Amino acid sequence: MANPLILREGDPSRLVELRRPVADALAAAGVVQVALTDRPGWWEVTPGTQIGVVSVAGLQVVIEPKIDINRLMFLMGYARRPDFWRDDRVRLDADADLPEALADAFVRLAKRALEQGLLKGYVTVDETLAVLRGRVREADQLRRRWGRSIPLEVRYDEFTVDIAENRLLLAAVERLLRTPQVGVRHRGGLQRLRLILSDVTAPVRGGARPSWTPSRLNARYMPALELAELVLDGRSFEQRVGDLVVSGYLFNMAKVFEDFVTVALREALKPYGGRSRLQYATHLDEDANLPIRPDFVWLEEGRPRIVADAKYKAEKPSGFPQADLYQMLAYCTVLGLPEGHLVYAKGNEDAHAHVVRRAGVRIVTHALDLDVEPVKLLATVAELVEILVSSTEREPAFSGRLHG
C-alpha cells in the first residue's frame, strides 16, 4: 500500500495527486471535499469534520482530530456516561491512527475483563418444549395450542454467559475485525476474544445494540464495555463507487462536540433544579408546520429559561454568513427569551455578544477549549452555566413576536 495521505480535520485544502476514479470515489463517500484544479491529475482535497481512516484503491486517507485522541475519547465517553468518564481508566495510544488505537486499547481492556472468566447472569427465555420448565405462558398456550397439552409454551430464567455485557463485547470485536484499517498486530488478539466469546449470540448487523446497566457484578467489565460502546459509535462503512470500493471507519466531530456540550450543560445545571431537555421539540410557526429543535433548553416550572446550541464550527452557507445567529434569534423568538447562547469549539469561532436591533435579543457566543485536561474543561462548563443562569434574571425583551 502506498504512503497514507494524512489530513487534519478542519485544515485548509491541500493539493493532492489522485487518479480521477479515486478522487470521484472519495467525493462520493462524503469523507472529504474534492475539487478539480487547472493542473492535470491534481485535486484540492479539503477535510471537514469527519475523522478516522478511509481506504480506496490502495490509498489510505487518515483524517486526524485537532485534539489529542484521549481528549476525544473523554468527550465521547462523558456524553454517554458522565459519572464513569470523570476517571481516567481508558487510555489510548496518542500516536496511533484512531482505529488502531481503539483496537489496541479494546483488546487490552477486554482481556483484563475476561481474565476471571466470562460473566454470567440470568436471562429470561421464551421457548416451546415437550416438558414443563419454568412457567407456562398461558396466553400463548391457549392461542397457539388450544385443546393440546403438549408442546408447552414456557418461560424460564437461565443462568448463562449469553448476556448483554458479553454480547456487547462480541459486537465490538466483530466491528473491529470488519475494519480494514485494524492491522495484523491486533487481529490475533481480536480473534482470541471471539473464540472466548463463542457461546455468546453473535450480533446481527444493523440490529439493536445490547443494553447494560452498571452494577457491582459487572464492575470488572466496565472499562471494556465503555470502550466497546465507543467502538460501535463509529461509522464503519463499505460502498462501491464505479469499479472501486471505499471502506472506512469514521466519527463526526460536530456530533461528538454537540453530544458532549449538551450533556455537560445538563450535568452542571443539576444543582440549580429545573429540568434540562436535549433536542427540545417545538415549532417556528403558529400552525406548527415548521419544526425546530434547539440543542439544549433548561426549564423552570415548565417554562423555558435558557436556550443554547452547540456548534463545533460556525455554519456559513453561501449568502448567509451569520446563519447561526439567525437560527438562535428564531429560537429566542419562539421561546420568548431575551438571551440565547451559541457554544463553539475554541479556534473555530471567537466569543462575542450581539444585541439584535429593534428586538433587544442578546445572542452570546462562547468558546470551549477542548485541548485542556477533562477536569479543567468541566470546570469551564460550570463557569459557563453560571453565566447562563445569570441570564435568566433579565426580563424578556418581547412577547414572542417581532414588530416593524
Side-chain angles (χ1 to χ4, degrees):
M1 183 174 285
N3 291 332
L5 169 60
I6 300 178
L7 306 171
R8 196 177 184 213
E9 54 103 2
D11 275 4
S13 60
R14 282 181 51 186
L15 280 178
V16 179
E17 187 175 15
L18 297 171
R19 294 188 294 114
R20 179 64 182 255
V22 173
D24 290 343
L26 288 174
V31 178
V32 293
Q33 295 181 5
V34 181
L36 186 62
T37 68
D38 295 334
R39 188 175 173 185
W42 288 80
W43 304 76
E44 275 194 354
V45 178
T46 310
T49 59
Q50 304 267 9
I51 59 171
V53 182
V54 178
S55 293
V56 55
L59 173 67
Q60 189 175 83
V61 181
V62 179
I63 309 170
E64 300 175 338
K66 287 182 178 179
I67 60 175
D68 177 86
I69 195 170
N70 285 291
R71 299 284 190 275
L72 171 65
M73 288 299 105
F74 168 75
L75 297 180
M76 295 169 59
Y78 187 88
R80 279 198 159 275
R81 217 176 294 271
D83 292 339
F84 177 86
W85 284 86
R86 291 179 187 276
D87 295 327
D88 195 21
R89 289 183 276 184
V90 179
R91 297 291 298 176
L92 274 66
D93 182 359
D95 296 325
D97 295 340
L98 185 55
E100 284 281 307
L102 284 170
D104 181 75
F106 178 76
V107 169
R108 172 167 39 88
L109 292 175
K111 284 174 61 179
R112 188 180 305 163
L114 299 175
E115 280 176 348
Q116 301 173 37
L118 291 179
L119 189 67
K120 289 186 176 183
Y122 284 100
V123 175
T124 299
V125 178
D126 289 344
E127 201 168 16
T128 303
L129 297 177
V131 296
L132 178 62
R133 182 178 182 184
R135 56 197 180 277
V136 176
R137 303 190 327 266
E138 295 180 359
D140 290 336
Q141 184 71 25
L142 291 172
R143 186 174 65 253
R144 300 177 185 176
R145 316 289 176 191
W146 175 258
R148 298 170 60 187
S149 58
I150 57 173
L152 297 170
E153 301 295 332
V154 299
R155 174 172 294 162
Y156 58 90
D157 293 330
E158 183 174 19
F159 194 59
T160 176
V161 298
D162 196 13
I163 58 177
E165 288 89 341
N166 292 324
R167 290 181 182 181
L168 186 63
L169 293 183
L170 182 58
V173 168
E174 298 290 356
R175 171 65 64 86
L176 288 169
L177 284 171
R178 290 199 306 269
T179 303
Q181 292 74 28
V182 173
V184 175
R185 185 166 67 94
H186 297 111
R187 287 187 175 274
L190 291 168
Q191 293 285 9
R192 284 190 289 275
L193 289 173
R194 178 197 264 171
L195 184 61
I196 294 171
L197 295 162
S198 58
D199 291 330
V200 177
T201 300
V204 178
R205 294 186 68 170
R209 181 182 301 180
S211 177
W212 64 284
T213 302
S215 70
R216 176 182 57 83
L217 297 176
N218 60 24
R220 65 183 168 98
Y221 266 50
M222 281 184 62
L225 291 172
E226 292 292 340
L227 191 55
E229 289 191 322
L230 298 190
V231 167
L232 295 173
D233 279 345
R235 181 170 72 94
S236 181
F237 70 95
E238 183 173 291
Q239 67 185 68
R240 180 170 293 277
V241 181
D243 294 330
L244 300 181
V245 173
V246 187
S247 62
Y249 183 74
L250 300 168
F251 292 89
N252 188 329
M253 279 300 300
K255 183 67 167 60
V256 170
F257 181 73
E258 177 189 310
D259 290 346
F260 168 76
V261 169
T262 53
V263 171
L265 289 176
R266 183 192 68 195
E267 294 298 304
L269 273 162
K270 283 183 176 179
Y272 296 90
R275 187 160 53 97
S276 296
R277 295 276 297 276
L278 280 54
Q279 296 300 312
Y280 183 80
T282 185
H283 292 85
L284 181 65
D285 63 321
E286 293 181 354
D287 293 332
N289 291 322
L290 303 172
I292 56 174
R293 284 183 176 270
D295 290 339
F296 183 88
V297 173
W298 183 68
L299 305 97
E300 275 187 323
E301 298 179 353
R303 175 187 170 192
R305 301 286 284 166
I306 294 172
V307 60
D309 240 26
K311 304 287 187 182
Y312 184 61
K313 59 188 297 185
E315 295 292 338
K316 297 182 179 180
S318 178
F320 296 93
Q322 308 300 338
D324 294 344
L325 299 179
Y326 300 150
Q327 184 182 48
M328 182 52 66
L329 175 59
Y331 292 164
C332 290
T333 304
V334 169
L335 299 174
L337 294 175
E339 189 164 299
H341 300 267
L342 294 166
V343 184
Y344 293 96
K346 185 177 180 180
N348 289 335
E349 194 72 10
D350 296 326
H352 289 291
H354 310 272
V355 178
V356 180
R357 294 178 60 194
R358 303 183 68 188
V361 178
R362 188 167 181 259
I363 301 175
V364 186
T365 62
H366 310 268
L368 285 182
D369 187 354
L370 303 181
D371 213 20
V372 299
E373 291 291 334
V375 172
K376 186 174 181 180
L377 178 56
L378 293 178
T380 303
V381 174
E383 294 170 3
L384 172 59
V385 160
E386 291 182 6
I387 296 172
L388 268 58
V389 171
S390 68
S391 74
T392 64
E393 299 172 0
R394 293 184 60 213
E395 289 298 320
F398 57 91
S399 60
R401 186 188 298 272
L402 297 179
H403 300 280

